[in-house]
Amino acid sequence: MSLALIQARAAVGIDAPRVNVEVHLGGGLPSLSIVGLPNTAVREARDRVRGALTTSGFEFPRRRITVNLAPADLPKDGARFDLAIALGILVASRQLPARGLEDIVFCAELALSGDLRPVSGTLPIALRCADAGESLIVAHENEAEAALASRAVHGAGHLLEVCRHLTGRQRLDTASPRQSPSPAPMPDLGDVIGQRRARRALEIAAAGGHSLLLCGPPGSGKSLLAARLPGLLPAMNSAEAMESAAIHSVAAGEFDPTNWGRRPFRHPHHSASARALTGGGARPRPGEISLAHHGVLFLDELPEFPREALEALREPLETAAISVSRASRKIRFPARFQLVAAMNPCPCGHLGDSDNDCRCTPSQIQQYCNRISGPLLDRIDLQIDVPPLAADELDNGSVPETTATVRERVRAARDRQMNRDGMPAAALSAAVTRQRCRLDQKSRGLMKSATRKLGLSARGWHRCLRIARTIADLEGHDRVTSTHVGEALAYRERLRPSDNAARANRPARP
């Protein structure tokens, strides 16, 4: 036959739509053309496939070869179609039988020697193949990754191995997930000395999935605290682990099997651009906020990030997703992350430090704090000061609570939330928040007073109620009381530029 049909799959965000690789051998001058919106890497498959076939001992047809990647309106990129195109040419030229190819998907790059090379985004392809009941053939380097999602995965090292498998002469082994080495232990909360209020805020953030802003001078423990948050979070379930791994699989070079089931902790430098955070590019890839999906995004030195990058966080903090639009397509990446940010109270970092004099003027402090917009600040649930530790606190001999101890309380609180609402408190809608946080007369008075004094917006009001709900869950209470509301309000004091500027003229603490 002069027509062959081979199955492959494209990569569109974290989805993998089916692509039919149609190969036709016709009359005319010898040539090989690829149609169906291929990018440069796909068009270059002509030379890779020709070299792989000839060096593997096959005859490259001296005919007019047309390769159609259908559907034609779906952009195709990368070298993932090399193996499918090569097999299509072999089938169309009758060098390989056509039987038994209907339910097999091929995904690998070809070297000129015929060796199979790995490609990115294999895990989403394996997920779609498993849903469709298809088997998948990939390069050896991708088989362990693909086997996480499908039990019908075969790894091969050379084109000839794939051909022998299809002809039944020598079957490829079925891949299985490899036993990954134990990941490195998470940083322990017991390393954090003092900072009782900050530790309490960290526990609340972990229990309810709340965002957190830590403000304090250099060396007060802000980064130390932030790095301990992933260890406090409950373990990911299988669906969350698979979704997180799929995102890292799409991001070239990011997938690491040793981190399977471990909540991500992303820590981009403050020079990162808006595109680095949100994702994008000619071939859209997930950014830091998507790579932190079901984990923690830590932004140290928050005011030093470009204003455009910070403002890009506002929508994903509300919607838990980010849309990357291009002229030809729009791709949506999930981005349900916990934001933990750290900042100094002023440019020199010593505002409010009794041991170091602040050298900043009120206008400099105001300009520094104005780099964080009010709408972004309003979306951060917990905002606390992290003061410097005194000498007595550094050497008081007390033993801080460890991560294991605090994690048990966090797990119990999160279990209450999941059993009640199916989601952490920070993800509740406004209507459900009001239903779960019915306030008594005293609590209503506190909220009304705080609205006038702190200037709480409607968003801030509901976020405060969600914090109170989390505090009640940590204490095992079904109802939210005025005590819970009062503590929640203490974490919603805004770090307003005017307040910080006024603090610059206050005398240092004795």
Side-chain angles (χ1 to χ4, degrees):
M1 65 186 304
S2 59
L3 179 65
L5 176 62
I6 307 296
Q7 303 297 331
R9 288 192 177 272
V12 181
I14 59 171
D15 194 14
R18 180 194 295 273
V19 172
N20 294 322
V21 180
E22 303 169 345
V23 180
H24 178 260
L25 272 59
L29 294 175
S31 64
L32 172 58
S33 60
I34 302 176
V35 297
L37 286 184
N39 72 347
T40 302
V42 179
R43 290 193 296 268
E44 289 174 347
R46 295 174 298 186
D47 300 314
R48 291 193 298 270
V49 168
R50 180 184 289 108
L53 290 177
T54 54
T55 56
S56 299
F58 295 104
E59 178 186 354
F60 191 81
R62 297 182 59 81
R63 300 176 63 181
R64 181 182 179 85
I65 305 172
T66 303
V67 178
N68 179 39
L69 306 178
D73 59 348
L74 178 70
K76 322 297 190 308
D77 53 32
R80 68 189 68 249
F81 304 106
D82 287 7
L83 179 58
I85 293 173
L87 294 174
I89 293 175
L90 293 178
V91 172
S93 61
R94 296 187 177 89
Q95 300 179 70
L96 192 68
R99 64 180 183 276
L101 299 178
E102 297 81 8
D103 296 324
I104 305 178
V105 173
F106 301 91
C107 179
E109 177 184 345
L110 280 177
L112 296 181
S113 62
D115 291 331
L116 270 58
R117 289 176 174 166
V119 296
S120 62
T122 305
L123 189 55
I125 293 175
L127 284 167
R128 290 299 299 270
C129 288
D131 293 339
E134 301 166 335
S135 60
L136 175 64
I137 294 181
V138 296
H140 277 311
E141 292 84 349
N142 286 139
E143 63 177 307
E145 173 185 344
L148 293 171
S150 175
R151 296 182 179 179
V153 175
H154 305 281
H158 197 277
L159 175 62
L160 290 174
E161 296 179 20
V162 178
C163 294
R164 285 194 290 266
H165 172 79
L166 296 177
T167 57
R169 286 184 292 171
Q170 185 177 351
R171 291 289 182 178
L172 295 171
D173 294 333
T174 301
S176 58
R178 296 172 186 166
Q179 289 286 11
S180 58
S182 300
M186 301 291 286
D188 197 278
L189 192 61
D191 300 333
V192 181
I193 301 173
Q195 301 298 1
R196 182 184 60 83
R197 188 164 183 261
R199 291 170 63 101
R200 172 66 171 172
L202 198 70
E203 181 178 344
I204 295 171
H210 301 284
S211 52
L212 173 65
L213 174 62
L214 304 168
C215 181
S220 57
K222 304 184 297 295
S223 300
L224 201 69
L225 285 160
R228 270 86 188 144
L229 179 57
L232 298 178
L233 298 175
M236 286 197 288
N237 58 40
S238 58
E240 291 174 338
M242 191 65 71
E243 193 172 27
S244 176
I247 296 173
H248 284 76
S249 175
V250 171
E254 291 287 347
F255 181 78
D256 184 359
T258 63
N259 289 328
W260 170 258
R262 188 172 187 173
R263 293 195 180 271
F265 180 75
R266 306 296 298 186
H267 185 186
H269 191 262
H270 60 255
S271 61
S273 64
R275 178 176 293 183
L277 290 181
T278 61
R283 177 189 174 188
R285 294 185 182 276
E288 291 291 336
I289 63 173
S290 294
L291 294 172
H293 186 55
H294 294 311
V296 176
L297 176 68
F298 177 44
L299 302 183
D300 201 5
E301 304 296 343
L302 186 66
E304 302 297 339
F305 279 81
R307 181 66 175 258
E308 181 185 7
L310 293 181
E311 295 307 299
L313 297 174
R314 286 161 55 175
E315 180 186 352
L317 280 172
E318 293 285 348
T319 63
I322 182 70
S323 296
V324 180
S325 299
R326 292 295 178 263
S328 59
R329 51 183 164 169
K330 181 178 181 180
I331 297 177
R332 187 176 178 88
F333 292 110
R336 186 174 297 281
F337 61 94
Q338 266 188 266
L339 174 64
V340 179
M343 62 177 287
N344 295 324
C346 65
C348 77
H350 296 298
L351 178 62
D353 189 345
S354 59
D355 298 325
N356 297 277
D357 294 332
C358 177
R359 304 183 301 272
C360 306
T361 64
S363 61
Q364 288 175 328
I365 298 173
Q366 185 169 6
Q367 183 179 10
Y368 177 77
C369 293
N370 279 340
R371 296 177 185 176
I372 308 173
S373 68
L376 175 60
L377 197 62
D378 198 38
R379 286 168 167 82
I380 301 178
D381 297 342
L382 304 162
Q383 306 166 16
I384 67 167
D385 287 324
V386 184
L389 293 175
D392 292 341
E393 294 177 288
L394 290 171
D395 188 24
N396 61 5
S398 62
V399 180
E401 282 188 315
T402 63
T403 292
T405 302
V406 179
R407 185 170 53 221
E408 283 303 309
R409 296 198 296 267
V410 169
R411 183 193 56 77
R414 184 68 71 93
D415 286 346
R416 290 174 64 89
Q417 295 171 3
M418 299 304 291
N419 293 334
R420 182 181 61 236
D421 305 309
M423 63 185 70
L428 296 178
S429 65
V432 176
T433 299
R434 290 191 295 269
Q435 182 181 356
R436 295 291 183 256
C437 305
R438 298 186 183 277
L439 304 180
D440 56 22
Q441 192 68 26
K442 185 176 181 181
S443 299
R444 288 195 188 94
L446 281 174
M447 289 296 297
K448 291 178 181 178
S449 176
T451 301
R452 290 190 296 268
K453 293 180 180 179
L454 301 178
L456 285 180
S457 64
R459 180 189 294 113
W461 174 288
H462 287 102
R463 287 182 180 270
C464 183
L465 290 181
R466 294 179 190 123
I467 296 170
R469 178 67 267 173
T470 299
I471 296 171
D473 289 329
L474 277 170
E475 296 181 0
H477 291 179
D478 293 329
R479 293 187 59 84
V480 174
T481 67
S482 59
T483 303
H484 306 140
V485 172
E487 183 179 358
L489 287 170
Y491 299 121
R492 286 294 300 178
E493 293 182 5
R494 292 196 179 190
L495 301 170
R496 291 172 291 187
S498 57
D499 292 345
N500 283 343
R503 289 165 56 192
N505 295 322
R506 294 178 186 173
R509 293 180 298 175

